[in-house]
């Protein structure tokens, strides 16, 4: 993962980040996010220990212009093929990490793990799954957080039709996360894969890269207001 900083109108590379235990096929850089002086990088193909493709996420912090690995995050219930780290998000001292191939509610139903930081130590806070979780939903493909709100994409959710996709909003009270809303667009169609990407900053934006609105797989993004 490469870090660039802006000086006036120009951008220059400040650092190249690699994992302390980097190995072939880790796919470090699958997903990245940054907040201030902290970066989180997903490595969905990491074989943590001997668990093949269980995945991991790495946290780096900056002092001056120097970036240092602070932590390696793994799912408390890591299993082969979960690909934890496929989606990552950070806001202040809280990180969400998607594991879209977790099999808790059926093959590749997916989940998201939330971690919190105290000092330099990261601790698991919660494991989040959809209330209507089902096989092949891939919940956790994309994640975004802002304060006490967590948005999670499930690009292959087929509740309304094969691979139409959906996105879920969870809110936090204390350390408890609860599903409050499931988002689907008014013109959702088979194969759109709505939920392939998500973002939040007040409003919520959800991508549907296979939407055929102006041609086959031309793609679109939907904006939802609270």
């Amino acid at each position: 993962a490469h870090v660039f900083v802006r000086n006036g109108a120009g951008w220059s590379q400040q650092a190249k980040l690699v994992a302390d235990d980097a190995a072939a096929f880790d796919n470090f850089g699958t997903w990245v996010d940054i907040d201030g002086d902290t970066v989180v990088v997903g490595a969905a193909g990491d074989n943590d220990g001997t668990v093949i493709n269980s995945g991991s996420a790495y946290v780096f912090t900056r002092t001056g212009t120097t970036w240092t690995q602070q932590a390696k995050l793994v799912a408390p219930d890591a299993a082969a093929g979960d690909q934890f780290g496929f989606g990552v998000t950070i806001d202040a001292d809280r990180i969400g990490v998607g594991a879209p191939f977790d099999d808790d509610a059926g093959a590749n139903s997916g989940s998201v793990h939330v971690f919190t930081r105290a000092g330099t130590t990261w601790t698991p806070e919660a494991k989040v799954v959809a209330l209507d979780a089902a096989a092949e939903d891939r919940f956790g493909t994309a994640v975004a957080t802002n304060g006490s709100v967590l948005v999670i994409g499930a690009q292959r959710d087929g509740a309304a039709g094969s691979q139409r996709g959906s996105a879920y909003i969870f809110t936090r009270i204390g350390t408890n996360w609860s599903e409050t809303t499931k988002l689907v667009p008014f013109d959702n169609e088979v194969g759109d894969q709505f939920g392939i990407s998500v973002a939040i900053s007040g409003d919520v934006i959800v991508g549907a890269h296979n939407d055929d609105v102006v041609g086959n797989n031309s793609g679109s993004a939907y904006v939802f207001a609270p």
Side-chain angles (χ1 to χ4, degrees), residues 4-16:
F4 292 80
V5 295
R6 180 169 55 189
N7 296 305
W11 291 86
S12 59
Q13 183 170 336
Q14 184 176 77
K16 180 178 182 178

Side-chain angles (χ1 to χ4, degrees), residues 44-56 77-83:
D46 184 14
N47 303 333
D48 187 59
T50 58
V51 187
I52 296 173
N53 289 338
S54 55
S56 61
D77 60 350
D82 281 355
Q83 294 196 34

Side-chain angles (χ1 to χ4, degrees), residues 33 87-91 94-98 111-115 125-130 139-140 142-153 167-173 175-183 198-204 206:
D33 199 15
V88 299
T89 183
I90 181 171
D91 183 45
R94 186 167 276 103
I95 283 174
V97 183
S111 63
V112 171
H113 295 262
V114 180
F115 297 79
E125 178 179 73
K127 181 177 183 178
V128 175
V129 295
F139 175 93
V143 292
T145 187
N146 188 349
S148 60
V149 179
L150 182 64
V151 184
I152 302 169
Y168 297 79
I169 296 179
F170 288 75
T171 56
R172 176 177 53 84
I173 298 177
T175 59
N176 296 315
W177 291 89
S178 300
E179 183 183 320
T180 56
T181 307
K182 180 177 181 177
L183 303 176
V198 297
I200 180 173
S201 179
D203 294 341
V204 170
V206 183

Side-chain angles (χ1 to χ4, degrees), residues 184-188 222 224:
V184 291
F186 65 90
D187 60 349
N188 199 9
Y222 296 80
F224 296 82

Side-chain angles (χ1 to χ4, degrees), residues 8-111:
W11 291 86
S12 59
Q13 183 170 336
Q14 184 176 77
K16 180 178 182 178
L17 308 179
V18 294
D20 284 351
D21 61 351
F25 303 111
D26 279 356
N27 296 138
F28 179 91
T30 302
W31 202 283
V32 296
D33 199 15
I34 185 171
D35 187 18
D37 293 321
T38 305
V39 165
V40 57
V41 183
D46 184 14
N47 303 333
D48 187 59
T50 58
V51 187
I52 296 173
N53 289 338
S54 55
S56 61
Y58 295 81
V59 183
F60 294 81
T61 57
R62 177 173 55 187
T63 301
T65 59
T66 301
W67 290 89
T68 305
Q69 184 176 314
Q70 182 178 76
K72 179 179 180 178
L73 307 180
V74 295
D77 60 350
D82 281 355
Q83 294 196 34
F84 173 95
F86 201 93
V88 299
T89 183
I90 181 171
D91 183 45
D93 293 319
R94 186 167 276 103
I95 283 174
V97 183
F101 297 94
D102 187 357
D103 302 327
D104 279 10
N108 304 331
S109 53
S111 63

